[in-house]
Structure formats: structure tokens, C-alpha cells
Amino acid sequence: MPGMWWVVGVVVLAAVFSAYLGWTAQRVERLHTRARSAERALDAHLLRRAAAAAVVAEQAESVELYAAARLALDAEPGERETAENDLTRQLRTVTLDPADPAARTLIGTSRRVMLARQVHTDLVRDALSARRRVIVRLLGLTRRYPRPEYFDIVESALPDLPPLPSPSPAPPVEEVRPVQAV
């Protein structure tokens, strides 16, 4: 009978260890998937910002800004960081009127780029941290996922958006009182 408890103990230990391995593998997969999704979202926001910058450049007749925006739109993946940093430097030289709808769009998309970059950086950091764990490296749980890379771009310093004019106030609502039974 005492030998039976050893078998039960080994089976329980094996079940706990396999559950831990499954949880770890799922976490590694989830982190890499989220990092890839964040990279795609950042790319989409960068394209929107470059397109908005091209519109503003056409309105302001700024050849340098338009060229930087076109380079950012047409950049290959290896050249993307440099092109985006050049666009950010050009955007800092332009005076934007927050009342202009195109400028408001550019300011809004630039803020979304910075938020998307921060989310991407956080997820890449988490994925790389998971990759460095000993059990993950020993079992090769990251073999099928490409190593996520940081995307370092300069923070844009665009003006604050003034609040949009509020619509006319709604008419006051009359208070309805319940009828009491007598």
C-alpha cells in the first residue's frame, strides 16, 4: 500500500507540471500574438499620420513636409523608423492651426501614433521577457514565433487640441412626479 501513494504523488506532480507547461505555452503564444497585433495597429496609425501630414503639406505648400510624408508612406520595413523620425522632425517645424480640420486630423493621428507605440513597446517588452524564461528556452516554446522588435520613433510635440465648440444647450427637462393614490 505505501508504494501506491508514491504513484499517486508522481501522477499528481506530473499533472501539475503539465498544467504549468500548458499555461506557459499559452501565455507565450498570447503575448506574441498581441505583440504582432500591436505592430499592425501601430503601422496603420503611422500610415494615417503620414497621409494626414501629406494633406497638411499640400495645404501649407511645404515641399519638405510633403517629401517626408511620401517617404514615410512608401518606406520599406527596414527603413520605416528612419522615415517616421524624419516625418516627426518635419512636423515639428510646421505651425499648425488647430482650427483647421486637416491640422486637427494630423494632431489626433499623431497622438494615436504615440499611444499605439507605447502599447506596442509594452507588449514587445512582455513578449521578450517571456522568451527569456528558462523553461521557455529549454523547451523551445518560441520556435514558431518571430522575435518581436521595438519600434523606436521620436515623440511628436504637436499643439494641444482646443475643445470643439459645444452644441447649443438642450432645453431643460421638466420633472415628472409620480401620481399618488389617495
Side-chain angles (χ1 to χ4, degrees):
M1 233 7 156
M4 182 65 135
W5 290 110
W6 279 101
V7 172
V8 170
V10 168
V11 168
V12 168
L13 193 60
V16 168
F17 186 67
S18 66
Y20 172 74
L21 287 179
W23 175 81
T24 302
Q26 185 179 19
R27 177 163 172 73
V28 167
E29 178 182 2
R30 189 173 56 246
L31 285 171
H32 282 80
T33 302
R34 290 178 67 195
R36 237 180 299 126
S37 296
E39 182 180 2
R40 287 188 200 116
L42 176 61
D43 186 50
H45 287 296
L46 288 169
L47 289 174
R48 286 185 196 111
R49 181 180 78 153
V55 170
V56 168
E58 287 178 352
Q59 289 179 350
E61 298 177 1
S62 174
V63 176
E64 295 86 13
L65 179 59
Y66 186 77
R70 285 306 311 172
L71 284 174
L73 284 169
D74 299 335
E76 295 295 322
E79 305 163 350
R80 193 70 186 267
E81 285 181 18
T82 306
E84 292 297 337
N85 285 329
D86 290 341
L87 177 59
T88 301
R89 283 188 214 100
Q90 286 298 322
L91 285 173
R92 287 182 177 171
T93 64
V94 175
T95 305
L96 296 174
D97 177 22
D100 179 29
R104 288 183 78 84
T105 301
L106 177 59
I107 293 169
T109 56
S110 292
R111 292 185 186 200
R112 287 185 200 100
V113 163
M114 290 304 116
L115 180 63
R117 186 189 66 82
Q118 183 62 45
V119 169
H120 176 260
T121 300
D122 291 346
L123 288 171
V124 167
R125 183 192 61 234
D126 292 346
L128 292 176
S129 174
R131 290 175 79 93
R132 285 191 292 268
R133 295 178 76 174
V134 174
I135 194 79
V136 171
R137 285 185 289 141
L138 283 175
L139 297 177
L141 297 177
T142 60
R143 281 188 302 241
R144 54 188 201 156
Y145 307 109
R147 187 176 193 276
E149 298 291 331
Y150 289 106
F151 192 85
D152 294 322
I153 56 174
V154 180
E155 295 275 332
S156 63
L158 296 177
D160 288 334
L161 285 173
L164 290 172
S166 61
S168 60
V173 178
E174 293 184 27
E175 187 177 321
V176 178
R177 295 183 185 172
V179 179
Q180 294 180 348
V182 185

